[in-house]
Amino acid sequence: RDLHSFPTRRSSDLRNDKDEEYGMHRVRALADKHRNKTPGELISNCLADLHSFTAGAKPADDLTLLALQRAA
């Protein structure tokens, strides 16, 4: 089954308290790690990772994540 995620630029722009950017490399690594999950599980894991990275700070702007799975 194919699972694709399409994070917005805003998700990779998030920064932590050390002013480190979350970055597309983290988005890609997370998507690869959870590629066998359902779209809902992938998004839940992504949100948990973003929350952990930013130490719970709310983003300054909106955040949109999209995950699609092709039906068999």
Side-chain angles (χ1 to χ4, degrees):
R1 69 185 184 190
D2 292 335
L3 178 64
H4 301 280
S5 61
F6 304 94
T8 63
R9 186 75 187 135
R10 292 284 179 216
S11 61
S12 64
D13 287 345
L14 292 175
R15 294 185 174 277
N16 63 14
D17 59 354
K18 297 175 188 167
D19 202 35
E20 298 169 322
E21 187 176 77
Y22 189 76
M24 286 304 294
H25 66 284
R26 284 188 174 93
V27 173
R28 285 187 202 103
L30 189 70
D32 286 345
K33 180 179 177 182
H34 299 289
R35 69 180 174 269
N36 293 321
K37 305 284 185 180
T38 66
E41 291 169 326
L42 174 59
I43 289 190
S44 291
N45 285 303
C46 187
L47 289 173
D49 195 58
L50 287 166
H51 183 76
S52 175
F53 179 80
T54 60
K58 293 190 178 196
D61 202 348
D62 66 325
L63 178 64
T64 303
L65 303 171
L66 174 65
L68 301 174
Q69 183 176 16
R70 184 174 13 172

